[in-house]
Amino acid sequence: MERAERVPQPAPPNGRRLAPLLSLLFPGAGHIYAGRQERGLWIAVTAATLLTLLWWLKFWSLLPALVPFWLWNAWETRTIVQGRRPSTVKLVLSAAIIVYAIGWRVTEIDVQRLAAGAQKIRPFVVSLVRPYYVDREVTYAAFPAPVQVPCGEEPSPPPAGAGSGPTIVPTPACASVGETITVRGEGFPPNVEGELWWENPIGDRVRLRSGGEFVTFVADEQGTFEVKVTVPDVVPRQFQESAQLHTVEARYVRDVGPWRLTETSYLVAQRMGETIAQALMATTWGAIFAVPLSFFAARNLMQFHPLALLVYYLARTALNVLRAIEPLIMAIVFVVWVGLGPFAGVLALTMHSIAALGKLYSEAIESIDPGPIEAITATGANRVQVVWYAVLPQVLPPFVAFTVYRWDINVRMSTIIGFVGGGGIGFLLQQWIRLTDFRSASAAIWAIALVVTVLDFFSRKVRERFV
Amino acid sequence: MSERSFYVRWGRYLLLVALAIPLYIWSWRTADINLVDLIQGAPKARPIISDLVRPSLLARERVTLSVSAVVRVPCDAPPPEPPPAEGPTLTLSATCLNARDSLVVSGSGFRPNTPGRLYWRVAGLEGRLRDEPFETDAQGRFTVETDIPPLLAQQGGDHTLEAELKWEAGALRPSETLRTTIDKMIETVFLALMATTFGGLVAIPLSFLGARNLMPTTPWGTTLYVAVRSFFNTARSIEPLILATIFAIWVGFGPFAGVLALSVHTIASLGKLYSEAAENIDPGPIEAIRSTGANEWQVIWYGVVPQIVPPYVSFTVYHWDINVRMSTIIGFVGGGGIGLELQRWINQLQWNSAATAVWAIVLVVSAMDYASAIVRERLV
Amino acid sequence: MLEVRKLTKVYDDGTVALKEVSFTVPDGEFLVIIGLSGSGKSTLLRCINRLIEPTSGQILWDGVDITAAGQEELRRIRRQIGMIFQQFNLVKRHTVLTNVLTGRLGYTSTWRSLLGLWSREDRARAMRNLELVGIADKAHNRADELSGGQQQRVGIARALMQEPKLLLADEPVASLDPATSHSVMKYIEWMNRERGLTVLCSLHFLSLARRYGTRIIALRAGELVFDGRPEEIDDRRFKEIYGDEAIEVEIR
Ligand SMILES: Nc1ncnc2c1ncn2[C@@H]1O[C@H](COP(=O)(O)OP(=O)(O)OP(=O)(O)O)[C@@H](O)[C@H]1O
Ligand SMILES: [Mg+2]
């Protein structure tokens, strides 16, 4: 379109008044009629594409959004017939209306959901500032009391004998699921705060909640408290028929140990190591295979023979096709091939690195200065010597720079390759997010951010030195 | 001197190698490199490769013909004779059966040389039981011998025996896979477009805050600059796939989650590229315009904007290209686009279908790559 | 003696760069090639050491047909023909010394050159040649740290390393200022006079050609249009070679 505009405009003959009408009939037709074939063709193709899209998606209700483009294209031909220059920007904007209308629909954009879901994501945002790297060991003092669920013929157990220490008494001592009982505690340390837990006959424990919030108690000056709890639905299926003894338990923190690294920290460190190692291996293998390939994909080296040129085209196409497939997709295939684990990820990243590096390398080779090659050849050097003294010194720096940069990219990619079972930190991260263990997820995310940023900085420095 | 420099140089290489070897050994073991697996697993990869070149594109419509006859169990009274029918008919050696009786089923008037199968429909139950397969001869006849399945023998009543033939007929039409792929590729491209647009729109104002030369050197200006830049760097380091996992919790599965994830990532990367472009503008024209007595807005409009528009547009187009690539996988975690279907097909080992998706991705991504290269070339 | 017979070069795109050019150069001559930009000077010089494959014609050097030489023989011939370039063509990332030493590649075995194991004599010779061109102190600098004139002197030192019998110089001073031009040309003249090298040198400026050449040939659109002594080029000849619009400029 740009180029066509530079062509001197022939004075429009009188008979071209028809142009706007034609463009109204089908976009671009009037342009072609008025002698602006290239622009007309572009417009016609655009209109046809948009119509096909609407037809395919059955989005007929969006037809009105096509009107501005349709009208503007007709209006524009008037400008052309008058010998003035039509505004491409306005035309593109009018087409953007329909394009974005389709996009909005296709991608199901729904701002309401964004607002409604905010509640669900709050815990994650809160956790982001509290990554789970360290915690303290906590020991609890726990005081159980039996509860019969549901009330049955068997006699209720006697209330726990009032010893010297703290005791709790549930009243009534039997209830059905969903019923509320009162738990009264005595002899607790004054003002102590604690939590209430429930254990079913087969030993499953849950922390009691009421209305989504955990139930807590605070003892008064005398060391007594009273809270209401709802019997949770944790009755094992095999016991549903008969009455069973469950346990309600009050506990408070007796002792807080020193700070220590969490299990999450170790896992994150280990998996980040795996991620970095994966990226290093993939980059190395990728580079090893990409170097020879890149020579075949460099046009300036492959022009000596038609067959060589054919090899060049083949190599280029292979690289482009391979580069278009995201490593994550390849990882799924390699997981089938070699099984779950970091090796599958390495293979996937290697394939992608070969393609990406091969392209960059070959472009570096294509842009070398032929002068030194000529000069070294003129001294009577053989081919190997020419490559060593004239080609390598020129391509090595960009090769190193690209490779380091690739390592950086590979580290980013290997943080997600675990999503499909390819090893690295991705698997754990996804698990933690799914299980809503947001503090651990946050630990992983910050670790990724740190490592990637550091590597980014490092690779930038290396590149600056080499180029 | 020269001799020494020779040893120094090679000595340095040796030192580097000595450092690299342990690193590589560690990486090799951590990454679990196992070439034996790679070679031994090759047979598993063979069908993948061979199906990869045979994507499912077109299919004929499948026609199903089924003809039935009633069999009474147990054999106390023969069932009512069916009315004589035109066309394909089933003939049974007996119309009522007791347990373990055998039955010869023959048919005539069917489509010649077509495979088929017998099914039992149990009286009063949903579904049907599979029985013998058969193939019709050149005259459209077949004969199969079968016996009554034990389940039917137990459950008395009028059971239906069905002979079903399936064949492909009609014109070639896009296969179901191809249609899904096209649908999802449209979604993928639009997902990338929306994300690039939203991301770009937010990134533009942010990029001014992240450009050293445009920010005042007051403490506030510096703080804001540092904050924006750190946001860019941190958010950029988190892959959009991770963001999509989070947004899928937030807004539910679907392309909207993908748009949001890619938008956030786009804000960060475009923001960084934009602000670097803004930092690299030539102060000459700005000085020249200021010296004409123009006010600040005029300086921005005539001195800054013309300089940043080409790189901004170029980066945006480039990022659309990147976003298309990313949106091909964002579906893996429920972010919409082709990823979900592709993953499903691969997991179900439907390699022909997966191949369709992969080739569609290659096509679209390469086209985007090419188009964006052309647009960028024109702009520079 | 160098004998060029009916040398023709047609590029792949159909450009006829040389049309049946014939001339002979006796040993010890300083032959200057002049002609407009695009007249085929570079093509001619590069055909002589076959950096460009001639389309037809022969180039005989001391009776040996260069155009018919096989790969091995071509290399042996090339190492006796030094060449210097307008753009110097140094390997920028290598040191000056390494650049000079590459002039010995034709005499060094492949594995020694890959490991950078240059013989003691070669190193000594390289330093001597750098001293000759006056930049011995820069031996360990990277080549791209040098000025244009210095780089061209490295180029000369590299050519000297080959101990050539013939020197091809393709516009050796076109990227240099007048004063530096003369200093570089003086080195070439010195090689011609003191070392007895035959020199084929293409130049843009007639004044330089007159000052240094013992003989001048002129190309126009790939054809030889003049062959004679410098003082024979008068105003009419000048217009013939460079076209009617041209005016001669002096370089001192
Ligand atoms: N590789 C090539 N392929 C096709 N044509 C070429 C090639 N190299 C040179 N030519 C053409 O051959 C002709 C002679 O070029 P040559 O470089 O020999 O001229 P020159 O006299 O050295 O010019 P200059 O003074 O500008 O260096 C020119 O028309 C040029 O365009
Ligand atoms: Mg030239």
Side-chain angles (χ1 to χ4, degrees):
Chain A
M1 275 188 280
E2 271 324 311
R3 220 170 290 132
E5 260 137 33
R6 274 179 230 121
V7 176
Q9 305 275 308
N14 276 342
R16 299 214 163 142
R17 297 249 163 73
L18 217 58
L21 221 68
L22 280 175
S23 273
L24 206 56
L25 223 60
F26 195 86
H31 293 76
I32 294 172
Y33 180 69
R36 298 292 302 267
Q37 281 88 352
E38 197 181 336
R39 193 183 180 86
L41 221 62
W42 272 103
I43 293 175
V45 168
T46 309
T49 313
L50 288 172
L51 282 172
T52 316
L53 257 178
L54 287 177
W55 163 76
W56 181 272
L57 297 166
K58 305 276 177 294
F59 280 2
W60 296 122
S61 59
L62 289 184
L63 268 180
L66 193 57
V67 170
F69 172 67
W70 208 279
L71 289 182
W72 184 262
N73 120 83
W75 179 255
E76 197 187 81
T77 47
R78 232 180 54 102
T79 330
I80 291 171
V81 170
Q82 287 166 359
R84 282 183 289 134
R85 199 168 168 277
S87 152
T88 306
V89 173
K90 285 177 191 161
L91 186 71
V92 169
L93 282 181
S94 68
I97 296 175
I98 172 76
V99 170
Y100 280 103
I102 298 176
W104 193 277
R105 258 277 189 98
V106 167
T107 56
E108 295 167 21
I109 290 177
D110 183 353
V111 185
Q112 253 182 352
R113 261 200 292 166
L114 197 62
Q119 212 49 32
K120 279 186 236 160
I121 210 67
R122 241 229 334 250
F124 174 77
V125 179
V126 172
S127 304
L128 265 189
V129 291
R130 298 171 54 219
Y132 194 45
Y133 289 125
V134 287
D135 66 358
R136 312 174 75 160
E137 195 172 10
V138 172
T139 46
Y140 289 95
F143 305 97
V147 180
Q148 194 186 26
V149 180
C151 292
E153 308 91 49
E154 292 159 52
S156 293
S164 53
T167 50
I168 60 168
V169 181
T171 29
C174 74
S176 303
V177 170
E179 283 177 356
T180 303
I181 58 176
T182 309
V183 176
R184 201 185 136 72
E186 269 168 17
F188 280 76
N191 305 323
V192 77
E193 290 174 32
E195 354 179 301
L196 284 160
W197 287 69
W198 191 274
E199 186 178 321
N200 71 6
I202 55 169
D204 291 339
R205 299 164 65 85
V206 291
R207 195 170 161 191
L208 288 170
R209 293 166 183 268
S210 122
E213 301 284 323
F214 287 125
V215 179
T216 55
F217 67 82
V218 186
D220 59 15
E221 295 290 334
Q222 283 75 45
T224 60
F225 67 86
E226 210 174 271
V227 283
K228 291 203 184 315
V229 300
T230 312
V231 176
D233 185 7
V234 289
V235 182
R237 184 165 305 163
Q238 66 264 41
F239 295 139
Q240 256 157 10
E241 267 93 78
S242 61
Q244 293 294 326
L245 277 188
H246 291 230
T247 312
V248 63
E249 184 181 287
R251 52 150 84 160
Y252 60 89
V253 175
R254 198 210 306 269
D255 201 8
V256 177
W259 290 102
R260 57 171 187 178
L261 285 174
T262 54
E263 182 73 21
T264 301
S265 300
Y266 290 111
L267 278 175
V268 166
Q270 185 201 344
R271 290 310 173 96
M272 272 325 282
E274 195 173 291
T275 302
I276 293 169
Q278 245 185 330
L280 180 63
M281 283 331 287
T283 312
T284 310
W285 285 111
I288 288 172
F289 286 107
V291 167
L293 247 176
S294 66
F295 284 85
F296 291 112
R299 201 185 177 103
N300 53 344
L301 300 185
M302 301 298 286
Q303 265 170 338
F304 57 91
H305 195 270
L307 261 179
L309 207 61
L310 184 75
V311 171
Y312 157 81
Y313 281 116
L314 284 178
R316 261 291 152 99
T317 314
L319 290 182
N320 279 336
V321 166
L322 214 55
R323 218 163 49 89
I325 305 172
E326 281 287 308
L328 211 64
I329 298 173
M330 292 193 213
I332 313 181
V333 176
F334 280 113
V335 163
V336 176
W337 187 332
V338 299
L340 289 171
F343 185 40
V346 169
L347 288 171
L349 289 175
T350 302
M351 296 301 277
H352 199 253
S353 299
I354 292 174
L357 284 178
K359 181 160 190 268
L360 290 175
Y361 288 173
S362 61
E363 279 166 2
I365 296 173
E366 279 173 0
S367 61
I368 61 173
D369 177 8
I373 299 177
E374 213 175 24
I376 302 282
T377 313
T379 65
N382 61 33
R383 263 173 190 272
V384 179
Q385 289 170 326
V386 170
V387 168
W388 192 256
Y389 278 94
V391 179
L392 280 188
Q394 290 194 63
V395 297
L396 224 46
F399 275 26
V400 171
F402 290 141
T403 312
V404 172
Y405 179 52
R406 224 332 99 179
W407 186 25
D408 180 14
I409 294 181
N410 276 343
V411 168
R412 284 163 206 257
M413 289 193 169
S414 59
T415 62
I416 52 166
I417 213 105
F419 279 38
V420 295
I425 196 152
F427 177 70
L428 275 184
L429 177 54
Q430 199 191 18
Q431 283 298 309
W432 283 329
I433 295 178
R434 293 246 162 102
L435 299 174
T436 66
D437 183 356
F438 289 137
R439 285 193 63 198
S440 293
S442 149
I445 287 176
W446 284 112
I448 292 173
L450 180 76
V451 169
V452 169
T453 311
V454 167
L455 269 174
D456 188 48
F457 178 79
F458 167 75
S459 93
R460 188 176 290 252
K461 282 273 163 278
V462 172
R463 274 179 283 153
E464 268 164 20
R465 256 196 72 181
F466 271 90
V467 181
Chain B
M1 154 88 219
S2 336
E3 285 293 317
R4 237 195 82 225
S5 83
F6 168 80
Y7 289 117
V8 167
R9 189 153 61 101
W10 285 94
R12 208 183 290 157
Y13 289 159
L14 277 179
L15 190 72
L16 258 178
V17 170
L19 284 177
I21 284 177
L23 181 64
Y24 271 92
I25 292 178
W26 168 76
S27 297
W28 186 283
R29 307 177 99 207
T30 313
D32 219 359
I33 307 270
N34 187 344
L35 297 178
V36 179
D37 270 3
L38 184 63
I39 293 158
Q40 281 180 348
K44 279 187 235 159
R46 250 227 319 269
I48 307 178
I49 312 277
S50 70
D51 278 359
L52 222 48
V53 295
R54 292 186 292 137
S56 142
L57 299 177
L58 300 171
R60 287 179 201 282
E61 203 156 359
R62 286 180 79 78
V63 179
T64 310
L65 170 80
S66 95
V67 176
S68 55
V70 178
V71 179
R72 176 159 292 180
V73 178
C75 209
D76 36 29
E81 275 295 309
E86 293 283 302
T89 44
L90 277 186
T91 321
L92 308 181
S93 60
T95 49
C96 69
L97 289 175
N98 289 317
R100 255 176 258 116
D101 277 355
S102 78
L103 171 73
V104 179
V105 184
S106 47
S108 63
F110 285 87
R111 188 171 182 271
N113 305 320
T114 310
R117 191 184 267 284
L118 290 181
Y119 294 91
W120 287 97
R121 227 172 246 294
V122 188
L125 281 182
E126 292 281 322
R128 55 185 192 175
L129 298 172
R130 240 149 59 120
D131 205 346
E132 301 290 310
F134 59 83
E135 186 157 353
T136 56
D137 63 12
Q139 279 76 45
R141 286 190 301 249
F142 70 88
T143 312
V144 247
E145 198 179 325
T146 181
D147 52 10
I148 178 157
L151 177 71
L152 274 75
Q154 275 177 21
Q155 185 125 7
D158 286 350
H159 302 303
T160 314
L161 183 68
E162 279 179 4
E164 190 173 285
L165 274 74
K166 272 191 180 152
W167 68 91
E168 290 177 341
L172 279 175
R173 25 178 42 256
S175 65
E176 189 57 43
T177 304
L178 182 61
R179 271 181 290 162
T180 314
T181 303
I182 293 175
D183 266 348
K184 289 295 169 184
M185 280 319 285
I186 293 175
E187 191 176 297
T188 304
V189 173
F190 275 108
L191 207 159
L193 176 70
M194 298 313 272
T196 314
T197 311
F198 292 149
L201 287 178
V202 180
I204 289 172
L206 278 185
S207 72
F208 296 133
L209 302 180
R212 195 71 272 212
N213 55 340
L214 301 182
M215 290 301 282
T217 43
T218 58
W220 267 111
T222 311
T223 314
L224 205 57
Y225 163 81
V226 171
V228 168
R229 272 301 175 100
S230 323
F231 164 72
F232 287 163
N233 279 327
T234 318
R236 226 164 48 93
S237 67
I238 306 301
E239 282 285 309
L241 211 64
I242 297 172
L243 296 173
T245 322
I246 294 158
F247 279 110
I249 297 178
W250 188 335
V251 298
F253 280 21
F256 185 37
V259 170
L260 290 170
L262 284 179
S263 296
V264 171
H265 196 254
T266 305
I267 292 172
S269 5
L270 270 187
K272 189 170 154 108
L273 290 173
Y274 284 172
S275 44
E276 274 164 5
E279 279 176 357
N280 281 333
I281 58 174
D282 181 3
I286 300 176
E287 257 172 21
I289 287 169
R290 191 167 281 141
S291 71
T292 65
N295 66 31
E296 275 312 298
W297 290 110
Q298 290 167 324
V299 169
I300 289 177
W301 191 246
Y302 287 97
V304 180
V305 171
Q307 288 196 62
I308 60 173
V309 165
Y312 274 34
V313 174
S314 151
F315 286 138
T316 313
V317 172
Y318 170 63
H319 220 274
W320 186 18
D321 177 18
I322 292 182
N323 277 345
V324 169
R325 285 165 196 271
M326 294 200 170
S327 56
T328 61
I329 53 167
I330 207 110
F332 284 20
V333 295
I338 187 116
L340 184 66
E341 299 299 325
L342 178 57
Q343 196 183 27
R344 191 166 58 83
W345 284 327
I346 294 180
N347 286 342
Q348 295 173 356
L349 305 181
Q350 295 185 19
W351 296 108
N352 292 103
S353 302
T356 315
V358 168
W359 285 114
I361 290 174
V362 168
L363 199 75
V364 170
V365 169
S366 309
M368 284 299 305
D369 192 36
Y370 183 73
S372 97
I374 298 239
V375 170
R376 277 179 287 150
E377 237 165 58
R378 277 209 178 172
L379 283 172
V380 181
Chain C
M1 190 172 77
L2 181 76
E3 202 179 339
V4 175
R5 285 187 194 158
K6 296 199 160 183
L7 187 66
T8 299
K9 172 66 191 175
V10 183
Y11 281 108
D12 288 342
D13 62 358
T15 314
V16 183
L18 292 175
K19 269 182 236 158
E20 308 215 327
V21 174
S22 307
F23 60 93
T24 36
V25 192
D27 286 343
E29 197 157 49
F30 195 124
L31 179 79
V32 174
I33 305 165
I34 57 172
L36 275 178
S37 188
S39 56
K41 305 183 294 289
S42 303
T43 309
L44 173 60
L45 287 172
R46 281 171 171 71
C47 278
I48 289 172
N49 61 0
R50 275 179 54 195
L51 285 176
I52 291 175
E53 285 297 329
T55 311
S56 67
Q58 283 172 319
I59 301 163
L60 301 174
W61 191 34
D62 293 340
V64 181
D65 188 356
I66 297 180
T67 54
Q71 281 301 314
E72 251 332 289
E73 199 188 351
L74 178 62
R75 277 205 287 279
R76 267 199 304 281
I77 295 170
R78 272 180 184 160
R79 68 185 191 191
Q80 300 171 50
I81 304 178
M83 187 162 191
I84 51 186
F85 304 83
Q86 175 183 354
Q87 296 302 339
F88 326 132
N89 289 358
L90 302 183
V91 181
K92 294 200 175 62
R93 294 185 56 86
H94 277 163
T95 61
V96 166
L97 186 65
T98 312
N99 267 294
V100 173
L101 281 167
T102 55
R104 291 308 284 179
L105 281 175
Y107 297 88
T108 312
S109 75
T110 306
W111 70 270
R112 283 188 79 94
S113 55
L114 291 193
L115 293 177
L117 288 172
W118 303 97
S119 71
R120 221 170 271 278
E121 307 96 81
D122 283 349
R123 288 171 184 281
R125 189 184 278 132
M127 287 313 289
R128 259 203 321 279
N129 283 330
L130 279 174
E131 266 157 35
L132 260 177
V133 295
I135 44 171
D137 53 325
K138 302 279 187 197
H140 295 286
N141 287 41
R142 256 174 66 154
D144 53 2
E145 292 166 3
L146 268 57
S147 73
Q150 289 169 330
Q151 289 194 29
Q152 193 56 296
R153 283 188 268 166
V154 176
I156 291 173
R158 177 172 64 190
L160 279 174
M161 288 298 284
Q162 294 174 240
E163 318 239 286
K165 299 208 186 81
L166 175 66
L167 182 72
L168 307 174
D170 188 8
E171 294 176 22
V173 295
S175 328
L176 304 176
D177 62 77
T180 320
S181 293
H182 274 298
S183 87
V184 166
M185 285 310 293
K186 289 232 169 74
Y187 283 113
I188 299 176
E189 187 177 38
W190 173 86
M191 288 161 85
N192 174 249
R193 296 243 173 101
E194 308 293 317
R195 295 259 173 121
L197 266 74
T198 312
V199 174
L200 266 71
C201 175
S202 71
L203 287 173
H204 257 138
F205 290 106
L206 197 53
S207 57
L208 284 176
R210 284 211 176 98
R211 157 80 180 69
Y212 293 98
T214 58
R215 184 176 147 207
I216 293 181
I217 62 173
L219 290 175
R220 188 170 154 180
E223 281 178 290
L224 197 68
V225 291
F226 174 83
D227 184 348
R229 280 174 297 115
E231 54 274 19
E232 285 176 40
I233 301 187
D234 51 20
D235 221 36
R236 188 181 59 80
R237 284 268 160 69
F238 178 79
K239 294 251 146 82
E240 224 173 79
I241 298 166
Y242 285 109
D244 293 335
E245 252 101 279
I247 336 162
E248 195 178 339
V249 272
E250 255 332 89
I251 283 215
R252 291 177 198 286

